[in-house]
Amino acid sequence: MLTTNMHELMQIVNGEHADPHHILGMHDMVVGKKTHTTIRVFNPEAKGVAVIGKDGKHHPMELVHRSGFFTVQLPKTPHYHYKLAFTGHKGQVWESWDAYAFAPQIGELDTHLFAQGTHYQIYEKLGAHPLTVDGVEGVHFALWAPNAKRISVVGDFNGWNGLRHPMRSMGGSGVWELFIPGLAQYDKYKYEMKLPTGEVTLKTDPYANFNELRPGTASMVYDLAGYKWGDDKWIKNRIAQSPLDGPVNIYELHPGSWRRVHEDGYRFQSWPEMADTVISYVKEMGYTHIELMGVMEYPFDGSWGYQVTGYYAPTSRYGNPHQFMAFVDACHRENIGVILDWVPAHFPKDAHGLALFDGTRLYEHEDPRQGEHPDWGTLIFNYGRNEVKNFLIANALFWIEKYHIDGLRVDAVASMLYLDYGKNYGQWVPNRYGGRENIDAVEFMKHMNSVLLGAHPHVMMIAEESTAWTGVTRPAAEDGLGFSLKWNMGWMNDFLTYMTKDSVYRKHHHHNLTFGMVYAYSEKYILVLSHDEVVHGKGSLVNKMPGDLWQKMANLRAAYGFMMGHPGKKLLFMGGEFAQFDEWSESRELNWFLLNEYEHHRQMHLYVKDLNHLYLRENILWENDFEGTGFQWINCNDYSRSTVSFYRTVGQEYLIFICNFTPVPHMDYRVGLPAAGEYVEILNSDEERYGGSGIINTGTLVAEKSECDGREYSLHVKMPPLGCVVLKGGV
């Protein structure tokens, strides 16, 4: 007897039902004066189906539609989870639990908080999560796509047939969900959507924990639970002392091009391999942190990881999520912090990603003048939409809480702040006050930083912001953006402009060397020599330097010395530490052969290593980075000799930096001192072991009571050509 509404039956058959649980599964039905239990199943691959009762008895089902719709009427029974026995059209048999016998696994509170943008652990609910429901193991899928007509989970487990596992709409929340018994780790899946236009499309899960290796685009089931962390000591120390009060010297690294495995087809190193190679190298070199580019899943290698499609998934290029956890854990056990590049500014137009996600501009803006970057060919997040903000804020927390990440470097903040960024007249829409500021993005950043740093005050939120926007690192409660640190892009531009000039012309550009101190304490800065400066025809750092080979190397050593003495945390992109001549490319490893074949590269490598360890040893170089009391110019006006001198101080201890940016040595250079006493040279970039000419200052240098640079005491020192001298004095 057919007890099924034919309209709903045809909606199931045609793949258009938004609530398949309403008709499929176990339901009580009144037939005449009796209540019966009716079970309905739809499976186009089945020729016959039987319900397996609690007693193991099979109850054959009636085929009521030739497409594979079956039903059976049983005496009224309490609802329970039951198995189905299938017979296929070719005689094959199999059993499975009925996915439509399970109640929703996401609650009204979850959807309510998500809708208001405050479900900061929404990644625990949306996405694919292995789950045991009443003793039945399976995977719970949940997705936000409010404008889809129908969504199904498809994968190898159902032949990628969108009619097999349609999801249930959770009403006005726009969330869809389904628990599928029997699925396991690494099962591939996507979401098949019927769009408002009637078109059917496939989408990768925005909340997936893992994805298959490109060029594949499927998501994969992955359970993040089970990893046993061993970094308790690191986390306790991180909580005890803010990184802003300690040394921060970052090695920026692209995992796919740092080093390749030559003996195995020049492939990428895996996370376990990098745990051996990268960590030992970074520790030996004296860096405190690594900043990893391109960790979140992305399809195109040439984007370097800045066009993300899997915000919740570490890229499968280097291994699985637990292997990445183990890499972070190993870094922490060696006292190395881990920072990730994070890209909340824009996302690519790839068909399987967030673009036009449910057939509408869900994550991006409807108006392309608001929703597209014309220069990058990417889409801008709609920060005014609560669910989009929740997606991003929860994602930032996800990497801190699930992977113990120590900080996020937030890419392209300037593009978020300004509506006209990279756009010409007519290509952008002013805000409600007629201005160019993106008010929604500003509020998003304040909200994000308040939540994240409120929960984890000792991690770093680092803004890559290239304009003069005020208050980037001021707390959101004080009308700032609330970031911990800001990349000092202005300093990088001015400094490299100066360093690229031939030494004879530098005296005319002396302000580029000194101007950074005018605004050095307006924000909490990181001085950066980043990957952006060694690509797209800009040349490597050493190739930017003027002169012959010796002068190029000497210039770079002097530049690194000046940078290390200047207030602010530090960052250097990989390859710069041994003066790689080639521009960086993501398609090949660094030129490590230079260290084996050329002495001058080994000498630069040693110099940077010694400079890094000097930074670690001398708390003067990082303890007062953000306070004016920690730095004083001695002489910033000696432009005719292209020389500057300054000191860093804590208490009564001093480090004196003197930098000569000409190839002319000064064998009797007098420099003023902050105090009387003895001084000793602790670093000289011109030492022969660094490739220099050997003009150094030996022994103890005693301050003379002789006025110089407006100071009562002074010293005569030997200043090497294109050199940096560091003296230590005080008690």
Side-chain angles (χ1 to χ4, degrees):
M1 178 185 295
L2 179 62
T3 59
T4 303
N5 181 298
M6 282 301 298
H7 174 68
E8 286 197 276
L9 185 153
M10 294 310 299
Q11 283 185 311
I12 293 290
V13 168
N14 294 327
E16 294 179 344
H17 207 302
D19 186 8
H21 293 72
H22 184 260
I23 182 171
L24 300 179
M26 180 179 283
H27 300 271
D28 289 338
M29 299 285 295
V30 178
V31 181
K33 294 184 178 181
K34 287 189 176 182
T35 300
H36 298 271
T37 295
T38 297
I39 298 176
R40 305 184 191 94
V41 172
F42 179 64
N43 190 328
E45 298 174 6
K47 180 180 179 182
V49 187
V51 177
I52 303 175
K54 289 182 177 180
D55 57 2
K57 183 179 178 181
H58 285 220
H59 303 276
M61 304 185 75
E62 177 187 359
L63 178 66
V64 297
H65 193 283
R66 65 179 181 274
S67 62
F69 199 104
F70 297 84
T71 185
V72 65
Q73 184 175 292
L74 303 172
K76 187 178 186 311
T77 182
H79 289 201
Y80 66 98
H81 304 313
Y82 51 87
K83 279 190 171 183
L84 301 168
F86 293 94
T87 302
H89 294 286
K90 296 182 180 180
Q92 70 273 35
V93 295
W94 71 95
E95 293 182 0
S96 70
W97 296 94
D98 188 357
Y100 297 94
F102 293 84
Q105 301 302 309
I106 186 168
E108 290 184 8
L109 180 60
D110 293 313
T111 56
H112 171 74
L113 292 175
F114 181 55
Q116 70 178 22
T118 58
H119 198 319
Y120 302 126
Q121 280 73 42
I122 190 63
Y123 53 80
E124 302 280 11
K125 298 297 181 178
L126 299 186
H129 298 282
L131 201 63
T132 299
V133 180
D134 298 333
V136 179
E137 294 183 354
V139 176
H140 180 248
F141 296 89
L143 177 72
W144 178 60
N147 301 302
K149 293 179 66 176
R150 185 263 301 168
I151 304 179
S152 300
V153 185
V154 296
D156 293 335
F157 51 87
N158 61 15
W160 298 87
N161 186 341
L163 298 177
R164 284 284 307 279
H165 288 103
M167 303 176 77
R168 162 175 34 207
S169 170
M170 300 295 289
S173 68
V175 173
W176 302 66
E177 72 94 45
L178 181 66
F179 175 72
I180 304 180
L183 301 192
Q185 191 98 317
Y186 294 115
D187 277 345
K188 295 179 183 178
Y189 71 97
K190 282 189 176 183
Y191 294 112
E192 182 184 280
M193 297 190 199
K194 180 165 280 191
L195 306 180
T197 61
E199 178 188 358
V200 175
T201 187
L202 286 172
K203 288 289 187 177
T204 300
D205 186 352
Y207 289 86
N209 290 325
F210 199 35
N211 290 292
E212 67 176 329
L213 182 64
R214 51 100 176 92
T217 57
S219 301
M220 287 194 284
V221 174
Y222 197 94
D223 189 355
L224 294 182
Y227 182 77
K228 303 298 182 184
W229 288 90
D231 63 351
D232 288 354
K233 183 178 178 182
W234 169 269
I235 298 297
K236 288 178 182 177
N237 289 339
R238 188 178 76 182
I239 292 172
Q241 181 185 32
S242 168
L244 274 61
D245 297 327
V248 176
N249 186 13
I250 303 166
Y251 186 61
E252 188 186 20
L253 184 147
H254 178 265
S257 59
W258 186 73
R259 194 185 290 274
R260 296 285 185 92
V261 182
H262 292 251
E263 58 272 22
D264 191 11
Y266 201 60
R267 64 168 173 81
F268 299 135
Q269 285 191 333
S270 66
W271 291 122
E273 289 167 328
M274 283 187 273
D276 290 333
T277 57
V278 170
I279 295 174
S280 59
Y281 178 80
V282 169
K283 188 175 179 65
E284 178 188 356
M285 288 299 295
Y287 291 101
T288 63
H289 295 72
I290 56 174
E291 183 176 305
L292 297 172
M293 299 167 59
V295 167
M296 296 155 208
E297 192 61 82
Y298 59 103
F300 176 48
D301 287 6
S303 78
W304 313 335
Y306 291 109
Q307 295 190 9
V308 178
T309 52
Y311 277 83
Y312 286 84
T315 177
S316 52
R317 288 167 173 81
Y318 316 121
N320 65 43
H322 278 143
Q323 289 173 325
F324 180 54
M325 288 179 184
F327 174 80
V328 176
D329 198 5
C331 287
H332 287 172
R333 284 186 270 114
E334 293 296 333
N335 293 315
I336 298 167
V338 180
I339 300 165
L340 299 186
D341 260 347
W342 187 54
V343 192
H346 60 119
F347 57 93
K349 296 179 180 179
D350 296 68
H352 67 281
L354 296 177
L356 291 171
F357 189 71
D358 61 358
T360 67
R361 297 186 186 275
L362 190 63
Y363 285 87
E364 65 270 39
H365 292 266
E366 186 65 33
D367 189 332
R369 294 176 299 169
Q370 295 173 285
E372 294 192 24
H373 277 302
D375 292 341
W376 300 341
T378 54
L379 300 172
I380 302 168
F381 281 105
N382 183 352
Y383 306 107
R385 192 161 198 167
N386 286 343
E387 296 89 346
V388 174
K389 288 188 291 188
N390 204 150
F391 171 80
L392 292 169
I393 294 171
N395 185 241
L397 282 162
F398 170 82
W399 292 101
I400 305 300
E401 295 178 353
K402 292 294 185 181
Y403 287 92
H404 292 202
I405 296 303
D406 302 288
L408 299 174
R409 176 263 192 185
V410 184
D411 181 64
V413 169
S415 76
M416 299 167 68
L417 290 173
Y418 297 101
L419 296 165
D420 62 346
Y421 186 91
K423 298 177 181 179
N424 297 318
Y425 179 77
Q427 293 182 319
W428 61 284
V429 179
N431 64 34
R432 57 183 175 268
Y433 303 113
R436 55 196 285 259
E437 298 81 12
N438 189 333
I439 296 170
D440 289 335
V442 170
E443 290 306 312
F444 159 72
M445 282 184 267
K446 290 180 178 182
H447 185 176
M448 171 190 68
N449 287 323
S450 296
V451 169
L452 193 142
L453 294 174
H456 304 281
H458 302 298
V459 303
M460 292 181 283
M461 291 297 287
I462 305 167
E464 187 232 3
E465 204 283 309
S466 55
T467 73
W469 187 282
T470 59
V472 173
T473 58
R474 193 165 62 228
E478 300 173 17
D479 202 30
L481 296 181
F483 285 95
S484 313
L485 293 160
K486 173 182 173 176
W487 272 24
N488 198 334
M489 311 289 280
W491 175 88
M492 178 171 67
N493 180 71
D494 288 347
F495 184 53
L496 290 179
T497 296
Y498 179 83
M499 292 305 304
T500 56
K501 301 296 182 185
D502 189 282
S503 59
V504 72
Y505 301 116
R506 283 177 175 166
K507 61 185 178 182
H508 304 299
H509 300 272
H510 199 71
H511 63 283
N512 289 125
L513 191 62
T514 61
F515 182 67
M517 284 310 303
V518 172
Y519 60 87
Y521 303 111
S522 63
E523 303 278 4
K524 296 180 175 67
Y525 283 115
I526 298 180
L527 305 186
V528 294
L529 294 174
S530 72
H531 69 274
D532 280 325
E533 300 310 307
V534 294
V535 292
H536 300 322
K538 295 180 182 178
S540 65
L541 288 178
V542 69
N543 259 336
K544 294 178 190 295
M545 303 297 122
D548 58 20
L549 177 60
W550 188 92
Q551 289 181 333
K552 285 179 180 293
M553 292 292 180
N555 267 304
L556 191 56
R557 291 194 302 272
Y560 288 159
F562 176 83
M563 176 183 179
M564 196 61 80
H566 195 288
K569 307 306 183 186
K570 321 296 180 194
L571 178 143
L572 180 66
F573 182 59
M574 64 181 196
E577 75 275 19
F578 60 85
Q580 173 169 305
F581 272 96
D582 286 344
E583 273 195 348
W584 170 67
S585 168
E586 84 288 340
S587 64
R588 61 177 182 265
E589 72 172 12
L590 298 180
N591 296 155
W592 294 107
F593 69 89
L594 296 174
L595 289 174
N596 296 324
E597 298 180 14
Y598 299 99
E599 181 68 17
H600 47 270
H601 292 284
R602 290 194 294 271
Q603 292 166 334
M604 179 66 73
H605 196 240
L606 175 62
Y607 172 69
V608 173
K609 176 182 174 181
D610 286 354
L611 195 59
N612 288 344
H613 282 279
L614 174 71
Y615 177 80
L616 282 177
R617 288 193 308 272
E618 300 292 345
N619 65 308
I620 291 175
L621 292 176
W622 40 262
E623 203 168 282
N624 286 331
D625 267 328
F626 310 123
E627 300 175 17
T629 57
F631 171 93
Q632 281 286 325
W633 286 115
I634 296 173
N635 189 339
C636 62
N637 296 315
D638 194 0
Y639 63 89
S640 63
R641 292 186 289 184
S642 298
T643 300
V644 292
S645 54
F646 58 87
Y647 67 84
R648 300 291 301 276
T649 180
V650 171
Q652 299 302 310
E653 294 188 352
Y654 304 93
L655 290 184
I656 314 297
F657 283 76
I658 315 163
C659 299
N660 175 17
F661 290 104
T662 72
V664 179
H666 304 294
M667 304 306 290
D668 188 22
Y669 188 87
R670 180 173 286 276
V671 60
L673 296 173
E678 297 180 346
Y679 292 79
V680 61
E681 183 176 270
I682 59 172
L683 188 79
N684 187 319
S685 68
D686 198 50
E687 289 187 48
E688 291 182 0
R689 64 194 181 115
Y690 301 143
S693 61
I695 298 177
I696 61 175
N697 297 277
T698 59
T700 301
L701 307 175
V702 180
E704 301 173 3
K705 191 170 184 179
S706 177
E707 192 276 335
C708 182
D709 298 322
R711 299 178 183 275
E712 185 178 358
Y713 291 90
S714 62
L715 275 178
H716 288 278
V717 295
K718 298 176 184 176
M719 274 306 300
L722 299 172
C724 175
V725 170
V726 185
L727 309 176
K728 185 173 184 179
V731 180

